[in-house]
Amino acid sequence: MNSWWNLVGVIAWLIVLVVLILVIKNIRSRRIKMIVQDKKTFEWRNLLISIVEIVVFLVLLALMVYTTFFRNITKTNNRNVVTTTQVEPLIIQSDEHGSYYVKVDGNRGPIQQYSFWLKNVKYQLPSTNAQVVTTRGNAEVTGRSYKLNHKNIKLNDQHFQNAWAKVVTLTYKGNFWNGLGMHAGKDANQFILIRVPNKTFVQRNK
């Protein structure tokens, strides 16, 4: 039902469209009246009114474009997002180079690409949305931002033999502002903490 809030955004865009039509119609009407009735081709007052109308429209348009396409939501903004977490065991893979849990592409670049399997589904994520950890200490440091404490990590290590992934999904709440940007009920972001027993289970493509 959260998606119903997106009707707020649809209505807002329709209002912006109506304002555009009214501005064009009003400018044209005043222009014709100025030429036909007043026998003039230019008036400062008419120009200023047109400028004000155009500025008002551009402000409305800019607000809607920002709200719809450029509004950033962080993982700590609990007013606008719901955070859900799920822990799944990693599925080991093998090829001619050996067995691995995670395959890393773009080893020399600033952003790496991680490939791994959870529940028979292959995930491919950039390093901006995932992180590989090989020790419990590193998992604790990374996991603090996602409410993953020492006890959780220890239990996961015991249960999944140090090979698991915590999927953190941020979903836009159903509220006015998210509906205005037509984001309500949609995923805002996803981060996956990938825990492997040690570095030998990470295959790096050169």
Side-chain angles (χ1 to χ4, degrees):
M1 295 299 291
N2 286 338
S3 60
W4 284 105
W5 280 101
N6 294 325
L7 289 176
V8 175
V10 174
I11 293 172
W13 274 109
L14 289 176
I15 291 174
V16 172
L17 179 60
V18 170
V19 170
L20 174 61
I21 294 172
L22 291 177
V23 167
I24 294 173
K25 184 177 179 180
N26 187 260
I27 291 175
R28 181 175 180 274
S29 176
R30 285 186 289 101
R31 175 72 176 171
I32 293 174
K33 180 180 178 181
M34 182 182 66
I35 295 173
V36 175
Q37 293 185 4
D38 301 335
K39 308 300 181 182
K40 296 178 180 179
T41 58
F42 178 80
E43 280 185 349
W44 280 108
R45 180 176 177 276
N46 186 60
L47 177 62
L48 290 175
I49 293 175
S50 297
I51 291 175
V52 170
E53 291 177 341
I54 293 172
V55 169
V56 170
F57 167 73
L58 291 178
V59 169
L60 289 175
L61 179 63
L63 288 174
M64 285 306 302
V65 169
Y66 168 77
T67 304
T68 305
F69 301 108
F70 300 105
R71 182 165 168 256
N72 292 323
I73 299 294
T74 65
K75 62 179 178 294
T76 57
N77 194 344
N78 294 325
R79 294 177 301 173
N80 291 307
V81 297
V82 176
T83 302
T84 57
T85 61
Q86 187 175 6
V87 178
E88 298 290 346
L90 288 168
I91 300 176
I92 196 165
Q93 305 293 311
S94 61
D95 57 19
E96 65 274 12
H97 301 292
S99 299
Y100 63 91
Y101 284 112
V102 183
K103 181 177 289 187
V104 181
D105 292 310
N107 188 32
R108 296 182 180 179
I111 298 179
Q112 300 173 335
Q113 190 79 12
Y114 299 141
S115 300
F116 54 97
W117 289 78
L118 300 176
K119 298 177 69 173
N120 294 321
V121 176
K122 185 178 182 180
Y123 284 74
Q124 290 182 300
L125 292 174
S127 53
T128 52
N129 292 88
Q131 185 169 346
V132 177
V133 292
T134 56
T135 66
R136 186 177 299 174
N138 289 337
E140 291 178 8
V141 172
T142 304
R144 285 172 188 165
S145 298
Y146 299 93
K147 300 179 181 179
L148 191 64
N149 57 35
H150 171 79
K151 183 178 179 180
N152 296 139
I153 293 171
K154 186 176 180 180
L155 290 174
N156 291 336
D157 280 352
Q158 293 174 349
H159 189 65
F160 299 115
Q161 298 180 337
N162 298 340
W164 49 271
K166 180 170 185 177
V167 183
V168 181
T169 304
L170 307 180
T171 305
Y172 290 101
K173 289 182 178 179
N175 58 34
F176 176 82
W177 290 109
N178 287 337
L180 186 63
M182 295 187 291
H183 299 311
K186 298 179 181 179
D187 287 345
N189 195 9
Q190 187 179 70
F191 180 87
I192 299 182
L193 178 66
I194 309 166
R195 169 77 160 110
V196 295
N198 54 61
K199 294 181 180 179
T200 61
F201 289 96
V202 179
Q203 185 182 107
R204 299 183 180 273
N205 293 338
K206 298 181 180 180

